[in-house]
């Protein structure tokens, strides 16, 4: 039991039930949004605009396997936070509803992709990104040296993976919309613009490493997505050698920044 929160409150059980409800919604929404319960398969959503060949900044299909790790992590968090020992935790009280919100928004994005427009999917994923950024900031701020491995993995780790991946997914979503709506002549500038965007992604990754005191999870998710983006551009369509190489360089920079910050701070818990 958290010493800073020794007395149970009625709102604690409400929070635990709320997180469970959010997880259930996320899973049902994912089943509907990916077409597993009928409808359009996920790779064909929005006319294929969100697939690996939908834009210059879309990762190859294997990159999306990271969702399995994120979903499993969120479900493990849901079970863990529901345990009696977590009911009165001050950290759970601070972050539980935020993680629930990210699960709802996660599922909602897939529903938007299945049934609405590409513009609304971009709005949805931007809102999710903002919620994840706030949640991750809370996770970093509330982390204590005495917190255990479960805290590190299921709060810091899972939230970090989710944030890192959605950061890149937001870029891909925005690029998909631009690809569908911009004049065809803009394709001539695609490589230059794509490299510039990747530089910004790299700066965001470095900023995350510094602000989070070297949390590894966001960097791993970003590097994973960037690596598969490089594969998509170097071996698939639309092909772009410049974007592919830039994605590899940015992935290395993001990982190195996180490692340098992490191991440059003795005693900071890995997550």
């Amino acid at each position: 039991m958290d010493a800073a929160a020794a007395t149970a409150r009625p709102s604690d059980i409400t929070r635990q039930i709320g997180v469970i409800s959010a997880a259930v919604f996320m899973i049902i929404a994912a089943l509907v949004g990916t077409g597993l319960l009928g409808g359009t398969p996920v790779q064909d959503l929005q006319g294929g605009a969100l697939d690996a060949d939908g834009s210059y900044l879309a990762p190859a299909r294997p990159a999306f396997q990271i969702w399995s790790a994120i979903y499993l992590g969120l479900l493990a968090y849901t079970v863990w936070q529901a345990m009696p020992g977590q009911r009165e935790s001050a950290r759970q009280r601070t972050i539980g509803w935020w993680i629930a919100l990210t699960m709802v928004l996660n599922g909602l994005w897939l529903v938007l992709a299945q049934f609405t427009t590409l513009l609304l999917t971009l709005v949805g994923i931007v809102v999710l990104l903002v919620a994840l950024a706030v949640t991750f900031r809370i996770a970093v701020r509330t982390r204590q040296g005495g917190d255990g491995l479960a805290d590190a993995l299921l709060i810091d780790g899972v939230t970090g993976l989710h944030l890192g991946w959605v950061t890149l997914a937001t870029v891909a979503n925005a690029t998909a919309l631009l690809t569908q709506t911009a004049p065809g002549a803009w394709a001539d500038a695609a490589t230059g613009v794509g490299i510039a965007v990747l530089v910004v992604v790299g700066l965001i990754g470095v900023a995350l490493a510094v602000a989070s005191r070297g949390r590894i999870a966001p960097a791993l998710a970003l590097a994973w997505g960037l690596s598969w983006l490089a594969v998509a551009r170097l071996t698939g369509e639309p092909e772009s050698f410049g974007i592919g190489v830039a994605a590899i360089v940015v992935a290395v920079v993001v990982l190195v920044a996180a490692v340098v910050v992490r191991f440059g701070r003795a005693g900071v818990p890995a997550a």
Side-chain angles (χ1 to χ4, degrees), residues 50-231:
L50 300 171
D51 201 3
D53 59 357
S55 73
Y56 280 90
L57 295 181
R61 285 186 184 178
F64 296 93
Q65 293 174 4
I66 195 174
W67 278 124
S68 298
I70 293 170
Y71 272 52
L72 286 173
L74 288 171
L75 291 177
Y77 168 78
T78 300
V79 173
W80 173 63
Q81 67 83 38
M83 294 180 177
Q86 294 300 310
R87 184 167 300 156
E88 302 163 20
S89 164
R91 197 176 196 213
Q92 297 289 4
R93 286 173 174 171
T94 303
I95 205 170
W97 283 113
W98 281 100
I99 294 179
L101 176 62
T102 65
M103 288 193 283
V104 170
L105 293 172
N106 182 310
L108 182 61
W109 182 87
L110 282 166
V111 174
L112 292 173
Q114 182 71 238
F115 297 112
T116 67
T117 65
L118 197 55
L119 176 59
L120 285 179
T121 66
L122 179 58
V123 173
I125 203 166
V126 168
V127 174
L128 172 58
L129 179 62
V130 171
L132 281 167
V134 173
T135 305
F136 189 64
R137 177 176 174 79
I138 293 171
V140 172
R141 179 170 53 83
T142 59
R143 187 81 164 98
Q144 301 295 325
D147 290 336
L149 181 61
D151 276 86
L153 293 178
L154 300 181
I155 293 181
D156 302 83
V158 174
T159 303
L161 280 180
H162 204 174
L163 174 61
W165 173 250
V166 169
T167 298
L168 189 62
T170 302
V171 172
N173 203 151
T175 308
L177 177 61
L178 187 62
T179 301
Q180 295 292 310
T181 58
W186 287 23
D188 296 337
T191 294
V193 172
I195 292 173
V197 171
L198 289 177
V199 170
V200 174
V201 171
L203 292 174
I204 292 171
V206 172
L208 279 173
V210 173
S212 67
R213 302 192 293 273
R215 297 297 196 277
I216 300 298
L220 288 176
L222 270 173
W224 168 268
L226 287 164
S227 298
W228 284 109
L229 192 160
V231 170

Side-chain angles (χ1 to χ4, degrees), residues 52 60-62 227-241 244:
R61 285 186 184 178
S227 298
W228 284 109
L229 192 160
V231 170
R233 297 292 72 79
L234 295 174
T235 65
E237 295 293 336
E239 184 177 1
S240 174
F241 179 79

